[in-house]
Every structure is written in C-alpha cells, then in structure tokens.
C-alpha cells in the first residue's frame, strides 16, 4: 500500500501498512506491555520481559521486530541468533540499565568475591555477560532461591532487590540503581489514590520503592498484573506501574475499573515507538541489534540459567 500524500492517514491505515511489511519480510512483532495501544494491537505477541524472552527462543521468523527498549531487543537477539532483530526505535533505551557499567560491576565483584551475581534483565548485554544468572521481575525470588550461594549481589535495581530480600533467608547485597519512572511514586501518591478509591485493590510493580510496595495488595510483574486482574473477583484496581499496561487491563476486563496510581506514570523511552517510526524501521530494515559473538555467548549462559530455573 502506498501512502497517499496530502490526506490524513488514519491509525488503521498505518497499522495496515505495518501488517503488509510484516508479511513481506516474514517478521514476528513482539511488543512490551508498556507500548502504545496501537502498537500492542498489531503485535503478534505482547508480554513482560520474561514472556518476551521465552517467545524469542527458537522463534521461526526471518526478522523479529522488537517494540520496546534496547535491553529487551538485545535479549531477543542473544536468544535467537538465527533471526535478524530490529529495535523499533534506535534510541529507545532503559535508563535503569545504564546505571551500571562493566568496570563498576567488576569493582563490586572484587568487593564481594563470594557473592553470586544476579542481573536483572534490565541490563546491557555486557553486564549480563559478567553475571552468573539473570532474572526478571516475574522470577527474581525463584532465581535468588535457586542459585547455590547464600550471598547474592543483586544488580542494578535496589527496589526489586530489596523486595526479594524480604522474602528470602539469603543475604542480598543491593546495588544503588533504580528506575526513575517507578521510583518517583511516593507513599503520598498511594494514600491519595486509596482515599479516592478506598475499595480498590492496589497492584504495584516491584521496581517501586519499599515503602510503596509495603502498602500494596500485590507486587507483580506487568504480565502477572494482567493474570491477577483476570482471575480476581474484585472490580476496582489501583495500578502502580507504567500506564501502557492499562490498555490490556481494560481490553481484557471490560467490566472492571483500573486507575493509575499517579498522573504521568510514563516511560518516555517506551513511548518513542509510534506507528510511523515502526514503519520506517521495517521499510528500511534498520536498527539491527548486533551483539558481539563472545558477549552474546557469555550473556546467553546467564539468560539460559534463568530460563532453566523458571
Ligand atoms: P516487566 O518484566 O514486569 O514487564 O517489567 C519490565 C520493566 O521494564 C519494568 O519497568
Ligand atoms: Fe527501564 Fe523504568 Fe522504562 Fe522499565 S519503566 S524500561 S525500568 S526506564
């Protein structure tokens, strides 16, 4: 389909163009739960970091188009070296992943030589390659409990690490990284939301601060929130994660009400992927994610260990 000039192109036409390009290039489109609704709607699969990693393994597609942020596309590329992985928008990064570099990690490893290094997937491939095992927000506790060591160096999200530390006997050493999007939420925000919706169940992401997490009814990865809401008999929810999740929550539960915990709960990097941007990426087959072979080999070891555990 050629795009007409001078007339306003509708969302549906842009989505149609993405689907044409997808068919032409035998592509699989993966999208994170925080993506814009119009992107989620044309994806072959939407999910949290763990589900998207699983989908990447052995995906039989010439091209995987990853609508999300760089560390997620890198993970897909590491897990599926036979496919070309395109990141929907070249500069969609995760500031949390940038809070630790290899030099700093090596210093921390020297300081705690007996610690098992568990890297949240929100890290660069270089960091994964230097770590013992990865985890996501959906399986962090399982991973901590499954590894042999009693001492864990948990990088880089201190809030997720702290949450896990409250549920295990192991010693969890926290690295002082955090996600600016989740870390911004305060007890005051939770209390205001609860005042407004006193009957609501509060679901928060473990990247939120410990004092916020302690006020929640459930602490869940993004896809776990979707499962929880579908199964729950409750009808009213306060949601403590990036607002992109509201799209699927509302679509899957038309009779239930979902309210975001605070205004502007937005990850700007996740929102960089628009339909226009995605079309350009697919037309030009650009933003190929290239992880050096040796880094990919070592990073894959850490990711595979995680997938074996869960
Ligand atoms: P999930 O794996 O829970 O989807 O979280 C990813 C993320 O980036 C949270 O900010
Ligand atoms: Fe990274 Fe936070 Fe955005 Fe998730 S919400 S991708 S952790 S910056």
């Amino acid at each position: 389909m050629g795009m007409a000039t001078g007339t306003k192109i509708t969302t549906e036409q842009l989505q149609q163009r993405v689907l044409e390009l997808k068919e032409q290039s035998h592509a699989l489109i993966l999208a994170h739960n925080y993506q814009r609704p119009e992107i989620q709607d044309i994806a072959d699969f939407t999910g949290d970091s763990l589900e998207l990693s699983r989908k990447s393994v052995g995906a039989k597609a010439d091209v995987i188009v990853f609508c999300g942020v760089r560390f997620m596309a890198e993970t897909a590329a590491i897990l599926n070296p036979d496919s070309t992985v395109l990141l929907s928008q070249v500069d969609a990064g995760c500031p949390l992943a940038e809070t630790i570099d290899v030099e700093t990690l090596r210093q921390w490893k020297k300081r705690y030589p007996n610690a098992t290094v568990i890297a949240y997937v929100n890290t660069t491939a270089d960091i994964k390659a230097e770590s013992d095992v990865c985890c996501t927000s959906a399986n962090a506790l399982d991973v901590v409990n499954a590894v042999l060591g009693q001492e864990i160096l948990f990088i880089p999200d201190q809030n997720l690490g702290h949450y896990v530390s409250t549920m295990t006997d192991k010693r969890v050493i926290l690295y002082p990284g955090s996600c600016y999007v989740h870390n911004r939420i305060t007890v005051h925000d939770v209390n205001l939301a609860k005042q407004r919706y006193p009957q609501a169940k509060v679901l928060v992401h473990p990247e939120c601060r410990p004092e916020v997490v302690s006020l929640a009814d459930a602490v869940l990865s993004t896809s776990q929130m979707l499962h929880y809401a579908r199964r729950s008999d409750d009808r009213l929810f306060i949601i403590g994660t990036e607002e992109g999740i509201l799209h699927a929550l509302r679509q899957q539960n038309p009779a239930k009400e979902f309210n975001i915990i605070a205004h502007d709960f937005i990850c700007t990097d996740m929102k960089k992927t628009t339909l226009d941007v995605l079309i350009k990426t697919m037309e030009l087959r650009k933003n190929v994610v290239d992880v050096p072979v040796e880094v990919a080999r070592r990073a894959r070891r850490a990711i595979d260990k995680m997938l074996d555990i869960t």
Side-chain angles (χ1 to χ4, degrees), residues 28-45:
L28 178 76
I29 302 181
L30 301 180
H32 186 263
N33 289 323
Y34 293 159
Q35 288 288 290
R36 293 170 185 270
E38 63 273 23
I39 299 288
Q40 292 190 37
D41 288 346
I42 47 83
D44 292 296
F45 187 79

Side-chain angles (χ1 to χ4, degrees), residues 34 69 71 93-96 122 179-182 207 242 267 270:
Y34 293 159
V69 293
F71 79 81
C94 168
L96 168 62
N122 297 42
C179 158
Y180 76 99
V181 184
H182 289 83
E207 286 177 15
E242 212 270 356
C267 174
M270 281 286 181

Side-chain angles (χ1 to χ4, degrees), residues 15-157:
Q15 287 177 316
Q16 191 50 43
R17 177 68 184 140
V18 172
L19 296 177
E20 279 170 15
L21 288 163
K22 182 175 107 76
E23 206 165 301
Q24 279 164 24
S25 55
H26 305 289
L28 178 76
I29 302 181
L30 301 180
H32 186 263
N33 289 323
Y34 293 159
Q35 288 288 290
R36 293 170 185 270
E38 63 273 23
I39 299 288
Q40 292 190 37
D41 288 346
I42 47 83
D44 292 296
F45 187 79
T46 55
D48 65 7
S49 308
L50 182 60
E51 291 174 329
L52 293 170
S53 302
R54 287 226 175 89
K55 276 284 158 190
S56 311
V57 183
K60 298 220 177 334
D62 296 345
V63 179
I64 296 175
V65 184
F66 208 109
C67 301
V69 293
R70 179 164 294 275
F71 79 81
M72 296 177 173
E74 265 184 3
T75 304
I78 291 165
L79 287 171
N80 199 328
D82 295 335
S83 298
T84 300
V85 177
L86 309 181
L87 175 58
S88 50
Q89 161 68 5
V90 70
D91 64 353
C94 168
L96 168 62
E98 303 303 326
T99 58
I100 187 162
D101 58 28
V102 169
E103 197 38 51
T104 310
L105 176 54
R106 286 185 181 152
Q107 285 164 13
W108 278 65
K109 282 167 71 169
K110 271 199 191 127
R111 211 180 305 164
Y112 302 104
N114 298 320
T116 302
V117 181
I118 301 186
Y120 191 26
V121 278
N122 297 42
T123 43
T124 61
D126 284 353
I127 293 291
K128 290 183 177 78
E130 286 281 325
S131 302
D132 293 307
V133 54
C134 289
C135 75
T136 73
S137 60
N139 62 17
L141 180 63
D142 293 339
V143 173
V144 166
N145 285 334
V147 297
L148 285 179
Q150 283 301 306
E151 190 177 69
I152 308 295
L153 173 55
F154 192 93
I155 58 165
D157 190 81

